[in-house]
């Protein structure tokens, strides 16, 4: 029986759904194949000529779409072990699309299975691809594993004002458009097992049985998992906002190192309401820092009925707000309008109180001119502050020194459980409060690109790696440079690996041959540079791995071309490591004497660090950024942009910092 989810998008962040991929294969890894369900001339077969973009060499619209699926499938196929091919029946087709609302796509497993030979837990549904992996054969050979439809209408410019379109590059530089790659990675994740088959709105199991996903959904209110609760208890937990968590050991451990500290509002006085309160940090303006911002709270008054405290008009009490933190009601106008109005009145920060009983304001939007921090709080907390303003309310907006953003106080990752229930999004996603943002959140964020982050560890919890060798590959990527092709990989259990050979081919099926290269390390990742690669030729790479048991397996698949040596075009590599915690580095090259400016900007576009500014001779250079500003102050967790400026223009790469 199939489970399908819908994806919709509107004026708030774009929402995801469930799964996809394309041909990828290597012995010992998952082989993911797309079954093209489009008619000639449509979707994946669209012959419209286009220019290559962002590393995608396709010259027709259809081919570029297929190439993105191939790229995403390469990432997933190199991570998951399965001897059974995974088939995805996919198509692009017209879906709902207006200037303010649209569907991105829908997807789900074609069949689900329980109590088969090899099932790790009896009486629980498994998505088809995972069931096949555990059974070591196809349990439904006449069906593909996943069905998926993506919205063809997005490319007509029907959504947004000005219109936004699918972006088919591999480089993460989608600008205002919708990058397809992380959406495909997200959808593959759903089809491979990141979703429940149980109804969150009714609480009823699919055909009276829970899913393996339910075994790790923990309701903090009852202390029970979804496969232990009544339908009514499941319904309540699905709208509990911060009360539904994941308690699988692998994902909990990974979240502890992946997530950054949680933003909070610390009320210092009066004592009757003093304490730590939950907040939702804004997606615009400067990030909340560990040291934080402290100030007195003043209720914003714009003097315009019916709500004089909604901050939608200039402040009538600007003198009182100046130098203080403004408290504003949610509603009527956007968050950026409210915060900008308070900033114009001289506020040093903003707190926005929700106008509904449950949850925190979403705090989405974008305005690079906003330079003060802002957070959203619950309606109840807003009312408590208002009731005590006569006594003087002093607060600090800072990072919780102990607890993580997107996890409960016990370190369990939060699941998305908004009130009211959001069909197609609730329960089967991580919560939107995660920082850094994670692939399996229900909303697109610009810092999502080509990483599967916590999803790999979620898959470990539900059984994808139980019958694998102890060695699993968490990352394998290739990057073309002028001095060769740089390979970077990371194992789930590096201690199990006793031998590695890097193999190369000029076509994915082979023939494969070993290359001579020296290995180096970068954090937990291993690096190898293929200096024998010739410029202009696209190479495929994989690893031949020998484990402690003496078994040999082939892992990973990545492709890249060596760049021509010092052409006239300036190039800037992606930062590494990314995400970073202590520092990151970039490689850039210039083909002629140039005045070079290498800088770092925060999410608002404000320059915070100049790494280099001056003349440079032709060549390839590596420069490090230590995660500090020009004043040598460590930056808070968030997304930053490293830019290379030459006479040819500006090239920008982004990096996420975790603290």
């Amino acid at each position: 029986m199939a489970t399908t989810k819908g994806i919709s998008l509107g004026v708030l962040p774009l929402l995801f759904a469930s799964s996809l991929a394309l041909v990828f294969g290597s012995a010992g890894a998952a082989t993911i194949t797309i079954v093209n369900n489009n008619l000639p001339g449509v979707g994946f077969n669209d012959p419209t000529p286009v220019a290559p973009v962002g590393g995608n060499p396709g010259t027709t619209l259809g081919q570029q779409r297929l190439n993105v699926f191939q790229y995403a499938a390469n990432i997933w196929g190199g991570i998951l072990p399965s001897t059974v091919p995974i088939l995805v029946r996919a198509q692009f087709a017209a879906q709902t699309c207006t200037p303010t609302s649209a569907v991105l796509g829908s997807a789900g497993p074609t069949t689900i299975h329980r109590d088969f030979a090899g099932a790790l837990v009896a009486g629980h549904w498994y998505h088809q691809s995972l069931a096949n992996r555990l059974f070591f054969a196809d349990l439904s050979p006449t069906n593909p594993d996943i069905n998926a439809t993506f919205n063809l209408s997005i490319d007509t410019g029907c959504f947004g004002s000005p219109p936004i379109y699918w972006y088919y590059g591999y480089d993460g530089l989608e600008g205002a458009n919708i990058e397809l790659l992380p959406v495909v990675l997200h959808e593959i994740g759903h089809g491979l097992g990141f979703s429940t088959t149980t109804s969150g709105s009714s609480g009823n199991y699919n055909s009276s049985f829970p899913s393996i996903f339910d075994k790790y959904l923990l309701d903090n209110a009852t202390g029970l998992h979804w496969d232990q609760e009544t339908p009514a208890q499941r319904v309540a937990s699905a709208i509990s906002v911060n009360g539904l968590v994941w308690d699988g050991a692998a994902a909990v451990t990974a979240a502890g190192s992946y997530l950054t500290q949680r933003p909070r509002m610390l009320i210092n006085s009066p004592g009757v309401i003093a304490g730590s309160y939950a907040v939702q940090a804004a997606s615009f303006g400067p990030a909340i820092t560990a040291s934080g911002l402290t100030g007195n709270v003043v209720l914003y008054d714009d003097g315009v009925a019916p709500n004089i405290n909604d901050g939608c008009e200039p402040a009538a009490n600007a003198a009182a707000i100046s130098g203080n933190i403004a408290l504003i009601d949610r509603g009527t106008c956007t968050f950026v309008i409210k915060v900008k109005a308070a900033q114009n009145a001289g506020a040093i920060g903003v707190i926005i109180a929700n106008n509904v009983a449950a949850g925190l304001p979403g705090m989405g939007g974008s305005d690079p001119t906003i330079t003060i921090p802002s957070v959203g709080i619950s309606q109840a907390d807003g009312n408590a502050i208002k009731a005590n303003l006569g006594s003087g309310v002093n607060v600090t907006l800072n990072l919780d020194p102990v607890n993580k953003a997107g996890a409960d106080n016990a370190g369990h990752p939060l699941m998305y459980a908004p009130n009211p229930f959001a069909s197609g999004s609730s329960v089967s996603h991580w919560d939107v409060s995660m920082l850094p943002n994670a692939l399996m959140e229900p909303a697109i964020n610009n810092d999502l690109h080509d990483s599967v982050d916590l999803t790999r560890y979620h898959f470990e919890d539900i059984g994808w790696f139980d019958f694998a060798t102890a060695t699993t590959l968490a990352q394998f990527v290739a990057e073309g440079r002028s001095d060769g092709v740089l390979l970077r990989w990371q194992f789930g259990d590096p201690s199990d690996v006793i031998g590695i050979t890097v193999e190369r081919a000029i076509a994915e099926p082979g023939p494969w041959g070993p290359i001579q290269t020296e290995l180096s390390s970068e954090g937990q990742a291993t690096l190898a540079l293929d200096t024998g690669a010739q410029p202009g030729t696209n190479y495929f790479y994989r690893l031949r791995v020998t484990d402690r048991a003496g078994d040999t397996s082939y892992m990973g698949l990545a492709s890249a071309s060596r760049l021509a040596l010092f052409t006239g075009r300036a190039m800037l590599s992606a930062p590494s490591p990314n995400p970073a915690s202590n520092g990151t580095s970039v490689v850039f090259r210039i083909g002629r004497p140039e005045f070079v400016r290498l800088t770092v900007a925060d999410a608002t576009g404000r320059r915070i660090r100049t790494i280099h500014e001056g003349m440079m001779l032709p060549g390839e250079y590596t420069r490090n950024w230590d995660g500090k500003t020009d004043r040598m102050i460590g930056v808070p967790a968030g997304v930053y942009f490293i830019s290379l400026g030459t006479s040819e223009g500006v090239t920008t790469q982004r990096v996420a910092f975790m603290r």
Side-chain angles (χ1 to χ4, degrees):
M1 183 174 181
T3 59
T4 303
K5 294 185 180 295
I7 320 170
S8 63
L9 52 100
V11 295
L12 293 177
L14 314 180
L15 303 181
F16 289 113
S18 305
S19 45
L20 284 200
L22 182 61
V23 178
F24 167 70
S26 177
T31 299
I32 304 175
T33 304
I34 187 170
V35 180
N36 186 342
N37 202 41
N38 276 130
L39 296 173
V42 178
F44 294 116
N45 304 314
D46 191 324
T48 302
V50 294
V53 58
N56 187 333
T59 55
T60 68
L61 190 56
Q63 187 61 53
Q64 285 194 354
R65 289 167 176 158
L66 281 170
N67 289 349
V68 174
F69 280 81
Q70 171 77 65
Y71 200 94
N74 289 356
I75 293 171
W76 273 121
I79 293 172
L80 296 179
S82 182
T83 59
V84 185
I86 299 170
L87 302 180
V88 181
R89 183 165 56 203
Q91 64 182 356
F92 272 77
Q95 303 284 289
T96 301
C97 187
T98 72
T100 58
S101 178
V103 171
L104 277 183
S106 61
T110 309
T111 64
I112 55 177
H113 304 267
R114 61 175 174 83
D115 298 319
F116 49 87
L120 301 176
V121 181
H124 286 64
W125 293 115
Y126 287 79
H127 286 25
Q128 183 176 337
S129 56
L130 176 54
N132 291 345
R133 181 261 177 284
L134 297 172
F135 185 65
F136 290 98
D138 199 332
L139 288 160
S140 185
T142 61
N143 290 305
D145 299 85
I146 299 164
N147 280 317
T149 300
F150 271 57
N151 196 345
L152 190 67
S153 302
I154 297 295
D155 278 334
T156 68
C158 57
F159 177 70
S161 181
I164 59 177
Y165 304 88
W166 287 119
Y167 177 70
Y168 297 112
Y170 305 152
D171 55 5
L173 300 179
E174 70 274 17
N177 291 317
I178 310 166
E179 186 185 10
L180 181 61
L181 177 59
V183 181
V184 176
L185 286 171
H186 177 107
E187 298 309 313
I188 292 175
H190 278 309
L192 296 171
F194 201 109
S195 60
T196 181
T197 59
T198 299
S199 170
S201 58
S202 70
N204 293 328
Y205 292 141
N206 192 323
S207 301
S208 302
F209 287 92
S211 72
I212 189 63
F213 194 87
D214 299 345
K215 182 175 177 60
Y216 301 99
L217 288 178
L218 177 66
D219 182 349
N220 275 339
T222 65
L224 301 174
H225 295 92
W226 264 34
D227 62 350
Q228 301 169 314
E229 289 192 316
T230 66
Q233 288 173 320
R234 286 189 287 272
V235 168
S237 70
I239 56 173
S240 60
V241 184
N242 291 324
L244 183 63
V245 300
W246 184 267
D247 75 339
V252 170
T253 300
S257 58
Y258 179 76
L259 298 176
T260 59
Q261 300 311 119
R262 183 192 304 167
R264 67 174 180 176
M265 176 181 67
L266 185 65
I267 297 183
N268 304 308
S269 61
V272 66
I273 58 171
S276 181
Y277 292 78
V279 303
Q280 178 66 53
S283 63
F284 52 87
I288 305 299
T289 64
S291 57
L293 170 73
T294 299
N296 295 321
V297 178
V298 174
L299 185 63
Y300 189 101
D301 181 358
D302 59 32
V304 179
N307 187 350
I308 63 173
N309 307 128
D310 63 7
C312 295
E313 290 81 23
N317 63 336
I321 289 174
S322 182
N324 294 307
I325 297 174
L327 175 63
I328 303 176
D329 287 344
R330 183 184 185 181
T332 311
C333 60
T334 65
F335 297 117
V336 293
I337 289 175
K338 297 172 186 291
V339 176
K340 188 60 179 291
Q343 178 177 298
N344 290 341
I348 60 173
V350 172
I351 299 169
I352 295 181
N354 210 351
N355 58 356
V356 295
L360 302 173
M363 300 299 290
S366 177
D367 185 342
T369 68
I370 291 177
T371 59
I372 61 175
S374 57
V375 300
I377 63 174
S378 71
Q379 185 180 56
D381 293 345
N383 289 339
I385 292 176
K386 291 175 185 177
N388 287 274
L389 286 173
S391 303
V393 177
N394 181 270
V395 305
T396 299
L397 304 179
N398 66 357
L399 298 178
D400 190 309
V402 176
N403 297 307
K404 301 286 189 173
D408 67 5
N409 291 350
H412 300 125
L414 294 172
M415 306 305 295
Y416 188 55
N419 187 3
F421 185 83
S423 180
S425 296
S426 290
V427 181
S428 293
H429 293 91
W430 299 124
D431 190 65
V432 296
S433 61
M434 283 190 168
L435 291 175
N437 290 302
L439 178 68
M440 299 310 295
E441 291 182 42
I444 289 178
N445 294 282
N446 286 340
D447 54 347
L448 298 176
H449 176 40
D450 59 1
S451 172
V452 304
D453 49 69
L454 296 180
T455 318
R456 177 248 181 262
Y457 302 96
H458 165 282
F459 283 173
E460 184 173 330
D461 287 330
I462 64 174
W464 265 101
F465 297 96
D466 265 41
F467 288 104
T469 65
T471 305
T472 59
L473 192 62
Q475 179 192 43
F476 187 70
V477 294
E479 174 193 339
R481 308 192 333 179
S482 61
D483 57 347
V485 174
L486 181 66
L487 304 170
R488 180 181 289 105
W489 64 85
Q490 183 176 336
F491 289 103
D493 181 8
S495 66
D496 191 62
V497 178
I498 63 171
I500 298 174
T501 300
V502 180
E503 296 191 341
R504 184 181 71 192
I506 59 173
E508 192 272 324
W512 294 86
I515 64 170
Q516 298 299 318
T517 182
E518 293 186 4
L519 304 183
S520 59
S521 62
E522 182 181 82
Q524 296 183 341
T526 302
L527 280 66
L529 182 65
D530 180 12
T531 57
Q534 297 300 308
T537 300
N538 188 63
Y539 294 96
F540 291 84
Y541 296 89
R542 71 182 185 185
L543 301 178
R544 186 171 75 228
V545 179
T546 304
D547 63 21
R548 285 175 297 182
D551 296 326
T552 298
S553 57
Y554 296 93
M555 297 184 175
L557 181 66
S559 64
S561 300
R562 179 174 180 171
L563 301 176
L565 182 63
F566 306 141
T567 65
R569 183 183 173 207
M571 299 290 291
L572 176 67
S573 73
S576 178
N578 188 7
S581 56
N582 297 316
T584 190
S585 64
V586 292
V587 176
F588 64 93
R589 61 191 181 98
I590 54 176
R592 57 192 177 198
E594 285 272 12
F595 185 87
V596 174
R597 182 177 287 111
L598 189 68
T599 60
V600 183
D602 62 19
T604 71
R606 178 172 58 94
R607 183 186 301 180
I608 60 171
R609 181 71 178 270
T610 299
I611 300 174
H612 180 88
E613 192 168 42
M615 290 297 298
M616 300 185 78
L617 295 174
E620 183 164 297
Y621 301 89
T622 299
R623 291 292 184 270
N624 300 317
W625 177 43
D626 56 8
K628 296 180 180 179
T629 67
D630 283 328
R631 297 181 178 180
M632 303 310 293
I633 299 172
V635 300
V639 177
Y640 298 87
F641 298 88
I642 302 178
S643 296
L644 173 69
T646 68
S647 63
E648 298 168 355
V650 178
T651 302
T652 300
Q653 298 281 1
R654 61 186 171 186
V655 60
F657 254 79
M658 302 185 298
R659 295 299 192 187

